[in-house]
Amino acid sequence: MRRTLHRLLTLATAAALAVALPAGTASAAEYPDPYPAAGETQLHDPTMIRLADGRYIAYGSHRDVDAHVSTDMVNWTRQGGAFAPQNVPSWWDRYTTQDRPWAPDISYANGQYWLYYAVSTFGSQNSAIGLATSPTGAPGTFTDRGIVLSSATGDRYNAIDPAVLWDGGRLWMTFGSYWTGIHMVELNPATGLRSGNPPITHLATRPDAPYAVEAGQVIKRGNWYYLFASYDACCAGLDSTYKIRVGRSSAPTGPFTDSTGRSMLNGGGDLLLGNSGRYLGPGGQHVLLGDGGRDLLVYHYYDTQRGGEPHLAISRLGWTAAGWPVVVPTTG
């Protein structure tokens, strides 16, 4: 799961999120409810894509990259994992004996589905990011392509929480958690792996120990690159304090700043989504642009009506006139 301990940060300015919202849109502070979700929705760190056959598939942490499938984005069933049991990579055992993979990221490019994920020993830098590919994206069809990046005690980063950006023929991977936070490295778009020893760029961290920022994802919309990240404590049930923050830059490698101009290398980041009603500790997010004309924010939360269980949630994203994302109602 996306690495956590404790988190904290500044509140986004109301002005930035209240600028020229569409008619009927709630302010960011009200956090409209996500889309209804039913069935087997217990999932951590979801990443979601619509397959060629029209089904939605959400992969998440644990098991063999937990797979949940839906035909309507509402009713979900668990259908095994990304890997068939006989195809689980043996190298995982060098990094973990528990929990198996965490925090996957799925994308589609060059005629195949690319699934990045992490394996790690909890609370350590004994971590690695792996890649698997599939022609269909369906559960049980992924083939291991090996280790993309690893880390060990004393490294300046932790090799978990991958997310990739395909941008004009180039491929970038965001990763990292705690220690010095979130980083980015360029990958070879033909193989999905590193070529040579490309530089690793620092994108975000916190000035306060334990530097609790993780689960970074960079997307491109218009001329801006946006860095979404989770702050504070994940994975603690009703004690979770996760929240989602965002900054932007004119380049994929930053520097990323929030709407007040504060750098995400110094604790910046506008608050996009926090606690709301039964939806506690939202985070481990994945942004899906242009799904049927909608931009979606996919994440997990801890359900106060079900004892703090983690569940899948999908909210709709809108954009202010100034170009900042905001959670908006799922209808209208």
Side-chain angles (χ1 to χ4, degrees), residues 149-173:
L149 182 74
S150 64
S151 60
T153 301
D155 286 342
R156 63 188 177 93
Y157 54 78
N158 194 14
I160 67 171
D161 292 2
V164 296
L165 168 69
W166 297 86
D167 181 33
R170 301 177 75 175
L171 176 60
W172 304 91
M173 183 178 74

Side-chain angles (χ1 to χ4, degrees), residues 33-309:
D33 285 350
Y35 287 95
E40 296 177 292
T41 62
Q42 197 165 345
L43 189 65
H44 255 122
D45 309 319
T47 180
M48 189 179 81
I49 199 167
R50 189 188 291 202
L51 302 178
D53 62 12
R55 293 181 300 163
Y56 290 92
I57 188 160
Y59 286 104
S61 292
H62 308 312
R63 300 184 178 93
D64 298 330
V65 190
D66 207 7
H68 294 241
V69 177
S70 174
T71 59
D72 57 7
M73 213 177 68
V74 174
N75 298 286
W76 294 87
T77 59
R78 182 176 176 271
Q79 297 188 10
F83 293 92
Q86 67 273 19
N87 292 332
V88 170
S90 60
W91 61 261
W92 289 1
D93 293 337
R94 302 206 302 268
Y95 297 94
T96 184
T97 59
Q98 298 177 336
D99 288 337
R100 310 302 281 179
W102 302 334
D105 176 78
I106 193 167
S107 58
Y108 181 81
N110 303 335
Q112 64 183 343
Y113 293 86
W114 305 73
L115 186 73
Y116 290 84
Y117 61 90
V119 287
S120 179
T121 301
F122 190 87
S124 83
Q125 291 173 277
N126 183 37
S127 311
I129 292 169
L131 169 64
T133 61
S134 164
T136 68
T141 67
F142 281 85
T143 299
D144 176 43
R145 301 301 179 193
I147 296 173
V148 181
L149 182 74
S150 64
S151 60
T153 301
D155 286 342
R156 63 188 177 93
Y157 54 78
N158 194 14
I160 67 171
D161 292 2
V164 296
L165 168 69
W166 297 86
D167 181 33
R170 301 177 75 175
L171 176 60
W172 304 91
M173 183 178 74
T174 308
F175 68 94
S177 170
Y178 286 79
W179 282 272
T180 56
I182 295 173
H183 299 75
M184 175 176 274
V185 65
E186 188 168 9
L187 304 178
N188 183 329
T191 65
L193 305 173
R194 288 189 299 167
S195 292
N197 189 30
I200 293 175
T201 304
H202 201 188
L203 300 187
T205 191
R206 304 277 295 275
D208 51 328
Y211 316 110
V213 53
E214 59 188 8
Q217 181 194 10
V218 173
I219 67 162
K220 186 179 184 182
R221 182 179 183 272
N223 294 323
W224 291 106
Y225 295 86
Y226 294 84
L227 172 58
F228 295 79
S230 297
Y231 289 70
D232 300 320
C234 167
C235 316
L238 294 176
D239 293 324
S240 300
T241 58
Y242 239 16
K243 54 185 68 69
I244 301 170
R245 292 186 179 271
V246 63
R248 72 182 183 187
S249 172
S250 59
T253 54
F256 289 90
T257 58
D258 62 24
S259 63
T260 71
R262 186 176 182 183
S263 172
M264 293 186 77
L265 284 168
N266 190 35
D270 286 346
L271 181 63
L272 176 67
L273 185 62
N275 296 342
S276 182
R278 69 188 293 180
Y279 305 100
L280 180 71
Q285 72 289 324
H286 174 88
V287 175
L288 181 62
L289 295 177
D291 178 70
R294 305 169 298 186
D295 294 337
L296 301 176
L297 179 68
V298 184
Y299 55 97
H300 71 248
Y301 71 96
Y302 299 91
D303 194 337
T304 62
Q305 297 182 12
R306 288 184 279 191
E309 289 179 351

Side-chain angles (χ1 to χ4, degrees), residues 314-329:
I314 303 168
S315 291
R316 189 167 179 173
L317 282 182
W319 300 84
T320 71
W324 290 96
V326 60
V327 175
V328 298

